[in-house]
Amino acid sequence: MVREIVQIGDEVLRKQCEPVTRFDGELATLLDDMKETLKKAEGAGLAAPQVGVPIRAVLVDVPEGFFEFINPVFVWQKGEQVGTEGCLSVRGKCGRVRRPNKVKIVYRDRYGDRYSVVAHGWFARAICHELDHLDGKLYTDIAEDLRNDD
Ligand code: CO
């Protein structure tokens, strides 16, 4: 089921999200709904707080694949890149953001199994953007030149 994407100004986007503790059917439904919502919106990523659920779960949809990251934590971040980002919760805007160029995270999947992934370039950027959502941060907080996306 497609869910409504919360827009900037809603306090849920500013919450410190809680870790997922139950890898159950409720989580699976949320993730399935988030995937449908993300595909329909044609975004590169979506965090649970963006559909009003302040828990530590994000989706990333990049050329490397489609990923569900539950309770993701950075192991390391390296290098630097500057590039343009947008956000499904900040419609019609984009801006240049400085991010690490390469990151490693550990995370769990929807069943609670533990994995890690190393990402670089756009994939690393998407991970950084989505993980920021879990700490109540938006790219607009750090964008160098927030502007209309046209
Ligand atoms: Co976003």
Side-chain angles (χ1 to χ4, degrees), residues 87-130:
C87 179
L88 295 174
S89 292
V90 189
R91 290 211 189 282
K93 300 281 186 188
C94 64
R96 284 162 60 84
V97 182
R98 194 173 302 270
R99 298 284 192 190
N101 191 47
K102 201 170 178 186
V103 302
K104 180 177 182 179
I105 61 168
V106 292
Y107 64 95
R108 292 182 189 273
D109 68 3
R110 62 167 65 194
Y111 309 106
D113 294 323
R114 203 174 153 86
Y115 296 89
S116 68
V117 69
V118 173
H120 56 87
W122 174 246
F123 187 13
R125 173 175 297 284
I127 288 174
C128 292
H129 178 115
E130 297 311 324

Side-chain angles (χ1 to χ4, degrees), residues 99 127-138 142:
R99 298 284 192 190
I127 288 174
C128 292
H129 178 115
E130 297 311 324
L131 267 61
D132 269 358
H133 275 296
L134 303 183
D135 296 323
K137 296 185 240 170
L138 298 173
I142 52 171

Side-chain angles (χ1 to χ4, degrees), residues 41-58:
E42 299 179 333
L46 187 68
Q50 291 183 274
V51 293
V53 184
I55 63 169
R56 304 189 79 82
V58 307

